[in-house]
Amino acid sequence: MKKIIAGIQRVQILAGGFFLLVFLLTVVTQMFTRYVGIVATWTEDVEMYSFIWAVFMGASAMVYEKRHFAFTALNDSFKDNVPASKKLSIVISLVMLIFCVLMVFYGVQLTKQFWNYTWVNIPKFKRGVTWICVPIAGVTSALYLIDSIVTDVSSLKKSKNGAN
């Protein structure tokens, strides 16, 4: 299971990197076309929506590495107390999991609402595909958090059994 979750995270990093590259290339294209006097209105839509995908895929991938959200000062105070640090990690993961469930719920509603809306400058593209990244990020973040909680709980159980 760990390999599957790590594989999903690698795919998300690649997707986030791809959309970031699309964003940067589109910005450069827009700068060039403005410099030479060509109107390329499509670049605004591509920039915005590729950046949205890059952000959501990257943020979700960082949840896997526990780099997205942390109380470092609080965590540093438990540096010498491993069980307390694990318990804090579980609490933080549970709070984030609630947020991820809401992200999936409202992300699905957002995607449904905008599914048939079209892009302003590229009317053949649908906005629903653009916003599907929100529930995808919510589901994968929840998956990473559940894995983290299970790992922390089993680590606590092992340390408790080893202490007895």
Side-chain angles (χ1 to χ4, degrees), residues 139-151:
V139 167
T140 55
S141 293
L143 180 68
Y144 303 148
L145 290 167
I146 291 167
D147 178 59
S148 175
I149 292 168
V150 168
T151 302

Side-chain angles (χ1 to χ4, degrees), residues 4-49:
I4 293 171
I5 292 172
I8 293 169
Q9 191 248 2
R10 279 192 295 276
V11 169
Q12 273 192 307
I13 288 175
L14 287 172
F18 170 76
F19 285 109
L20 190 59
L21 179 66
V22 169
F23 170 77
L24 293 172
L25 290 174
T26 309
V27 168
V28 170
T29 302
Q30 185 179 42
M31 289 171 33
F32 176 75
T33 57
R34 285 186 181 185
Y35 180 74
V36 296
I38 301 170
V39 177
T41 57
W42 60 270
T43 57
E44 294 173 19
D45 283 341
V46 174
E47 287 170 7
M48 181 173 40
Y49 295 129

Side-chain angles (χ1 to χ4, degrees), residues 52-123:
I52 290 168
W53 267 87
V55 167
F56 277 100
M57 293 300 103
S60 183
M62 291 302 101
V63 169
Y64 176 79
E65 297 180 13
K66 294 187 178 186
R67 292 185 179 176
H68 183 265
F69 184 79
F71 292 107
T72 52
L74 191 56
N75 209 12
D76 289 347
S77 68
F78 293 127
K79 200 175 226 178
D80 298 328
N81 189 346
V82 174
S85 178
K86 294 287 183 190
K87 289 175 185 174
L88 176 63
S89 177
I90 292 168
V91 169
I92 291 171
S93 294
L94 287 171
V95 170
M96 289 176 61
L97 188 58
I98 292 167
F99 177 77
C100 289
V101 169
L102 293 172
M103 202 167 137
V104 172
F105 178 76
Y106 289 111
V108 168
Q109 286 185 340
L110 178 74
T111 304
K112 284 180 182 178
Q113 179 178 346
F114 287 107
W115 191 258
N116 288 318
Y117 284 46
T118 58
W119 287 21
V120 174
N121 294 307
I122 310 173

